[in-house]
C-alpha cells in the first residue's frame, strides 16, 4: 500500500507502545490535529482495579493450572486499600497502603508469570497465552503506578459514573469499587520521539490557531521549548464569508452560569427558537442541561425537539437535517463532526463556555504544573481547551457557501470576563452583537426564507 488511513489511537499505539501495528512510513498527515493531544493521552492511559487482578488470576488458574492464592490475596488487599481513597486526583501520591498493595500485586504477578511458562520450552496454547498476557498487563500497570511520581505521570481514582465522557458524567457511587487511573502529565516528549522524530508530519484542522497564533496547540504537541523539532505554520483562510454569512450573539445580560440551566437562559432560548421557527442545534455542557432544556422547550413551543440519547445519533442527526423546523439538543458528541448544511441548521445555541470539568484530575494536574513553572495555568490549560472546543461548536453553523445563521452563546462570561477576548479570537469572524432584538429580527428573516 502507498497510503494507510488510520485513526489517532492506532497511530499513538504504534508510536508509543512499541507495537508495529503500522508499516514504516515517511510522511504522516494528521487531520483534526487539535484532538491529537487528548487522543494520544487516552491511548497511552492505563486503568487498574482489583477486578482486573481477579480476572487475571482466574484465567491463570483455568488455563495454566498454577496456584493463584497469592494473586487473589493481593487483589483483596488492593480492594481494601482503595476503599478509603476518595474519587479524584491523588496529588500527594499513592500513599503507603496503596504502594504496599500494588507492590504485593506486582510480586504475585511476577511469580505467576514465571509459574505459567510452558513446560520444556513447548509453544504456549491460546488459553495460556491469553492468561499470561493478562498477568503481564496487570504487572505492567503496577510498575507504572508505582513509578508514576518519578515519571511525571498523573494518578487518580474513579468509581462508577465518575469522570465519564464530558457532558455525560453522573455523581460517583461511593460504594462502588474504585479504579486506579494513570496518564502522562504531558505527551509532548512522547510525540517528539514517537511521531515527529524521523518523519515529515503535516497537522491540519479548522481550529489549530487561536487568533493568528498556533503556539497553544504546538506547545501541547511538543513543538515548543528546548529540543523541539523545527516547524512552520500556515493559515490558509476559509472559503466562507463569515461576517456576511454568520452572526455571533452573546447574551451579555445573563447572570454568570451556575449548575444546570437557569430560568433566564431558558427564556432567551425560547425567544431565539420562536424567532427562528426551529432549525436549531443546541450544544449543552451536560446531558442534564440538554434534557432539561429539551423538556422545557417542548412544554413552551410547538416545535419538534430531539434530544441526544432518545435514539441513535445517526438517526437524530438525519431527522434534524431533513426537517427544517426540527431542533436537536445534545452534548459534546454534537460539538464536533456534525455536518448539516442548509436551512436545517440556521441557529447554533451554546449554553456555556466549554471549560473542562473543575474536578477533571488530568486537567487539574496540568494546570498546577503550569502554575508551578511560573505560567498561567488557567489560560494555558482551561482557557485554551475551551477556546478550541468553542470554535468547534461554532463551526457547526456555516458548512457551505450558501449557509446563513446565528451562533448564540448564553454565557455572559464570553462578553464580560477578562479572558473573553482570548476565547472570541478562536471563533470565526462573525458579525457580533449583544442585542437580542436585533438577533431575533435576523432569525425571523432567515425563517421566512425557508421553503414551506
Amino acid at each position: 500500500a502507498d497510503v494507510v488511513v488510520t485513526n489517532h489511537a492506532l497511530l499513538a499505539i504504534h508510536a508509543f507502545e512499541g507495537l508495529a501495528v503500522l508499516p514504516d512510513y515517511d510522511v504522516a498527515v494528521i487531520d483534526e490535529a487539535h484532538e491529537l493531544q487528548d487522543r494520544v493521552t487516552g491511548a497511552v492511559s492505563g486503568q487498574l482495579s482489583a477486578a482486573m487482578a481477579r480476572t487475571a488470576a482466574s484465567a491463570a488458574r483455568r488455563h495454566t493450572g498454577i496456584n493463584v492464592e497469592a494473586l487473589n490475596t493481593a487483589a483483596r488487599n488492593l480492594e481494601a486499600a482503595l476503599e478509603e481513597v476518595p474519587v479524584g486526583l491523588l496529588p500527594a501520591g499513592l500513599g503507603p497502603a496503596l504502594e504496599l498493595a500494588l507492590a504485593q500485586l506486582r510480586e504475585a504477578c511476577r511469580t505467576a508469570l514465571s509459574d505459567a511458562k510452558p513446560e520444556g520450552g513447548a509453544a504456549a496454547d491460546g488459553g495460556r497465552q491469553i492468561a499470561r498476557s493478562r498477568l503481564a498487563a496487570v504487572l505492567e500497570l503496577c510498575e507504572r503506578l508505582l513509578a508514576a511520581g518519578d515519571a511525571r505521570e498523573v494518578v487518580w481514582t474513579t468509581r462508577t459514573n465518575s469522570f465519564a465522557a464530558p457532558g455525560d458524567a453522573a455523581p460517583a457511587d461511593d460504594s462502588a469499587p474504585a479504579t486506579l487511573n494513570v496518564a502522562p502529565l504531558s505527551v509532548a516528549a512522547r510525540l517528539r520521539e514517537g511521531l515527529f522524530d524521523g518523519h515529515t508530519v503535516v497537522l491540519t484542522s479548522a481550529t489549530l490557531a487561536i487568533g493568528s497564533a498556533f503556539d497553544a496547540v504546538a506547545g501541547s504537541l511538543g513543538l515548543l521549548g528546548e529540543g523541539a523539532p523545527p516547524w512552520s505554520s500556515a493559515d490558509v483562510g476559509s472559503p466562507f464569508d463569515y461576517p456576511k454569512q454568520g452572526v455571533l450573539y452573546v447574551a451579555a445580560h445573563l447572570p454568570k452560569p451556575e449548575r444546570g440551566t437557569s430560568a433566564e437562559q431558558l427564556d432567551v432560548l425560547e425567544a431565539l427558537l420562536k424567532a427562528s421557527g426551529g432549525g436549531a442545534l443546541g450544544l449543552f455542557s451536560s446531558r442534564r442541561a440538554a434534557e432539561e432544556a429539551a423538556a422545557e422547550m417542548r412544554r413552551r413551543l410547538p416545535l419538534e425537539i430531539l434530544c441526544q440519547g432518545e435514539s441513535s445519533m445517526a438517526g437524530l442527526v438525519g431527522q434534524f437535517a431533513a426537517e427544517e423546523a426540527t431542533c436537536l439538543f445534545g452534548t459534546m458528541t454534537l460539538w464536533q463532526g456534525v455536518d448539516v448544511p442548509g436551512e436545517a441548521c440556521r441557529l447554533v445555541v451554546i449554553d456555556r463556555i466549554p471549560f473542562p470539568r473543575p474536578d477533571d484530575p488530568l486537567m487539574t494536574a496540568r494546570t498546577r504544573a503550569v502554575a508551578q513553572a511560573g505560567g498561567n495555568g488557567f489560560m494555558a490549560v482551561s482557557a485554551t481547551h475551551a477556546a478550541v472546543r468553542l470554535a468547534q461548536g461554532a463551526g457547526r453553523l456555516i458548512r457551505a457557501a450558501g449557509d446563513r445563521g446565528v451562533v448564540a452563546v448564553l454565557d455572559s462570561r464570553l462578553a464580560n470576563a477578562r479572558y473573553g477576548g482570548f476565547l472570541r479570537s478562536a471563533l470565526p469572524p462573525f458579525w457580533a452583537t449583544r442585542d437580542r432584538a436585533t438577533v431575533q429580527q435576523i432569525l425571523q428573516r432567515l425563517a421566512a426564507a425557508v421553503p414551506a
Side-chain angles (χ1 to χ4, degrees), residues 186 212 230 257 278 353 374 383 413 435 445 449:
S186 169
S212 59
I353 298 168
R413 293 175 296 179
D435 185 69
R445 289 199 298 270

Side-chain angles (χ1 to χ4, degrees), residues 30 53 72 104 126 168 200 206 210 221 223 236-237 306 429:
I30 301 173
N72 283 322
Q104 183 184 13
D168 297 329
T200 296
I210 298 176
L221 301 180
L223 298 177
V236 300
L306 309 177

Side-chain angles (χ1 to χ4, degrees), residues 283-371:
L283 304 177
F284 292 85
S285 55
S286 70
R287 177 72 65 86
R288 176 184 173 186
E291 292 173 346
E292 287 180 351
E296 188 64 18
M297 293 305 105
R298 286 166 179 163
R299 187 182 69 80
R300 298 187 187 189
L301 298 170
L303 294 173
E304 179 76 14
I305 310 286
L306 309 177
C307 191
Q308 181 180 342
E310 296 175 344
S311 183
S312 71
M313 187 56 66
L316 292 171
V317 173
Q319 183 179 348
F320 174 62
E323 301 173 358
E324 284 83 358
T326 293
C327 303
L328 174 58
F329 291 0
T331 60
M332 194 56 67
T333 306
L334 296 176
W335 286 68
Q336 302 182 78
V338 174
D339 186 13
V340 180
E343 289 89 353
C345 184
R346 52 191 178 272
L347 170 63
V348 173
V349 181
I350 297 174
D351 73 328
R352 66 176 61 204
I353 298 168
F355 287 119
R357 287 167 51 105
D359 52 0
D360 183 301
L362 192 53
M363 290 294 187
T364 299
R366 287 175 173 169
T367 299
R368 291 177 180 177
V370 171

Side-chain angles (χ1 to χ4, degrees), residues 33-58:
H34 65 280
E35 285 286 305
L36 186 60
Q37 180 191 27
D38 289 344
R39 298 281 176 83
V40 168
T41 301
V44 299
S45 297
Q47 294 82 35
L48 178 65
S49 65
M52 287 175 59
R54 282 194 290 268
T55 298
S58 176

Side-chain angles (χ1 to χ4, degrees), residues 420-433:
F422 173 79
L423 298 178
R424 292 194 302 274
S425 71
L427 297 175
F430 297 124
W431 184 78
T433 182

